[in-house]
Amino acid sequence: MMSLQPGDRVGIVGGGQLGRMAAFAAHRLGLRVSVLDPDQDCPASACADVTVASYSDGGAIEKMTRDCKLITFEFENLSADAIRQASCPVFPDPSVLETCQSRELEKNFLRNYGFPVPKFAFLSLTSSPQQIEEVCSLIGFPAVVKTIRMGYDGKGQWKVSTRDELQTVLQSITDVVILEQFVDFVRECSVIVARNLSGIIKCFPVVENRHANHILDLTIAPAPHLEYIAQQAEAIAVGIAEQLQLVGLLAVELFETQSGELLVNELAPRPHNSGHWSIEGAQCSQFEQLWRAVGNLPLGDSTPIAEEVAMANLLGELWHRGEPEWRKVLELPGIHLHLYGKREARPGRKMGHLTAVGKGASKQVIAARKLLCGK
């Protein structure tokens, strides 16, 4: 089995903030980086050679990867068939990408292998009244309608409380959707698991994720007061990684229910927003762990370096009055600022994040962000 060596070139399909941070981590290991992105000025362009092409351009992927030892990808809304045209190994395998980019395949995979998930069923515009009635009786209300593809940060999701609301949503779609049980959760958590070519597995600790308007707002690592189900969460993540035969990283998003049960919400076979805390807060960041995993290197120590680490997202709303006054947070001891180099700030767009390490870290990043908001 091959292993990455200093001087090797690696490729990333996607040049957004995850590609950017992965490229920075690759440079620390002495690797050279190529990215494929439709935008020449994508965030990763600051630290990688950019091939400008569509994510579905298999020919461009084949050409870019001729001098790459391996490639990976930074998000799921890609063409698995195009990635299969790469001239080098692809990690995670395109079959993993296909499973995780389709909620239909993902949910069926999880259910078939016995992983805990909310109740769900599939519907379409052509579903008969009898089929709709049967599904409603199975799932109950309230429920959540989700598109099969292209859903993230709350996109492609509708909460419905009645059959009439469900019918209205069904009339607006053109494809199959999932009707899923609405989970009255205590909190949302996630686990990032790494698995290398040799089958060695390591988990980052379970973290708590707090959302605002369906977008991740704050991550606390490790999740406070979760010791009693931390082992269960990690066991679920490890089991999924093994069944997928993952090589790389996998983020497993979970609901903690009122009864203390864990239910799998979604999977992401890549670095994840909820793992950004690890850059300053873990012995080995999720981005370095990615290269260790796909490069068949020894996996790093994912242990947090403090009792609490926190990450707060910086969204485009902060720019509504112009460039924020970064000096305000740079003057604060213990606050780490990460900006992604995006040229245009839009509401809801992830532009950067703050982290803090140590007791009270979550309060520190929230207070620092409020300074940027003028509060």
Side-chain angles (χ1 to χ4, degrees):
M1 290 183 286
M2 68 89 183
S3 294
L4 283 175
Q5 301 292 328
D8 285 341
R9 180 173 290 277
V10 294
I12 307 170
V13 180
Q17 66 264 23
L18 297 177
R20 177 189 177 100
M21 288 182 274
F24 281 140
H27 288 312
R28 290 185 58 193
L29 296 174
L31 303 172
R32 296 175 295 160
V33 184
S34 296
V35 300
L36 182 139
D37 196 277
D39 182 5
Q40 178 67 57
D41 295 322
C42 62
S45 66
C47 48
D49 300 317
V50 181
T51 294
V52 179
S54 165
Y55 300 130
S56 61
D57 189 340
I61 292 174
E62 188 276 331
K63 184 177 180 180
M64 183 193 80
T65 55
R66 288 175 188 171
D67 62 347
C68 289
K69 194 74 171 284
L70 59 87
I71 67 164
T72 188
F73 44 87
E74 66 149 9
F75 65 106
E76 296 90 273
N77 294 330
L78 306 170
S79 166
D81 288 338
I83 290 180
R84 284 192 174 95
Q85 297 186 45
S87 304
C88 63
V90 181
F91 301 114
D93 190 86
S95 64
V96 176
L97 172 64
E98 285 179 319
T99 297
C100 295
Q101 69 184 181
S102 163
R103 286 194 173 107
E104 183 175 13
L105 294 178
E106 181 178 281
K107 292 293 186 184
N108 282 329
F109 162 80
L110 291 168
R111 182 165 59 186
N112 291 343
Y113 282 101
F115 297 108
V117 293
K119 291 188 292 185
F120 67 90
F122 301 103
L123 289 170
S124 71
L125 182 61
T126 59
S127 295
S128 68
Q130 180 180 353
Q131 289 172 321
I132 294 173
E133 182 63 32
E134 290 174 352
V135 167
C136 290
S137 297
L138 172 66
I139 305 301
F141 290 102
V144 180
V145 181
K146 297 181 178 181
T147 57
I148 296 297
R149 292 177 178 270
M150 302 295 286
Y152 63 96
D153 289 344
K155 298 179 176 66
Q157 299 185 30
W158 302 267
K159 184 179 177 181
V160 293
S161 299
T162 65
R163 285 171 173 76
D164 288 342
E165 290 180 3
L166 173 60
Q167 287 285 4
T168 299
V169 172
L170 291 178
Q171 290 169 8
S172 68
I173 63 165
T174 59
D175 201 354
V176 176
V177 294
I178 293 177
L179 185 67
E180 187 175 290
Q181 170 194 8
F182 179 78
V183 179
D184 184 19
F185 56 82
V186 174
R187 56 180 165 177
E188 295 178 83
C189 306
S190 60
V191 180
I192 294 175
V193 57
R195 183 178 183 273
N196 68 13
L197 275 165
S198 300
I200 305 300
I201 291 180
K202 282 192 178 180
C203 288
F204 286 86
V206 185
V207 301
E208 178 178 335
N209 299 317
R210 300 177 186 174
H211 292 74
N213 298 319
H214 302 289
I215 300 174
L216 181 61
D217 184 63
L218 177 72
T219 293
I220 304 172
H225 313 300
L226 196 69
E227 295 83 359
Y228 64 101
I229 54 173
Q231 288 186 335
Q232 178 189 352
E234 291 186 9
I236 290 170
V238 168
I240 294 171
E242 290 180 330
Q243 290 296 343
L244 287 172
Q245 289 294 288
L246 174 80
V247 176
L249 294 189
L250 179 74
V252 181
E253 299 179 37
L254 301 156
F255 294 128
E256 179 192 0
T257 69
Q258 299 286 347
S259 62
E261 182 184 10
L262 288 175
L263 299 174
V264 179
N265 180 26
E266 292 185 347
L267 308 177
R270 52 168 171 79
H272 193 258
N273 196 175
S274 68
H276 293 352
W277 65 271
S278 64
I279 298 175
E280 283 86 26
Q283 302 289 347
C284 176
S285 77
Q286 67 164 339
F287 298 101
E288 181 177 330
Q289 196 78 300
L290 168 67
W291 298 118
R292 287 170 174 256
V294 299
N296 202 34
L297 300 170
L299 294 181
D301 185 351
S302 54
T303 305
I305 64 173
E307 63 181 281
E308 182 179 333
V309 186
M311 184 282 305
N313 272 330
L314 302 176
L315 303 183
E317 289 87 336
L318 285 172
W319 277 253
H320 73 289
R321 295 178 181 173
E323 192 71 22
E325 296 183 44
W326 302 116
R327 177 179 293 274
K328 290 182 177 180
V329 296
L330 292 173
E331 289 175 342
L332 298 174
I335 294 294
H336 302 273
L337 172 65
H338 294 259
L339 295 175
Y340 304 150
K342 296 181 179 180
R343 295 183 179 274
E344 181 184 1
R346 299 189 300 268
R349 192 181 196 196
K350 296 170 184 173
M351 301 293 292
H353 68 266
L354 301 172
T355 57
V357 178
K359 187 176 181 180
S362 56
K363 294 180 180 178
Q364 291 178 47
V365 292
I366 292 171
R369 188 171 56 187
K370 284 183 178 179
L371 283 178
L372 295 173
C373 297
K375 298 180 180 178

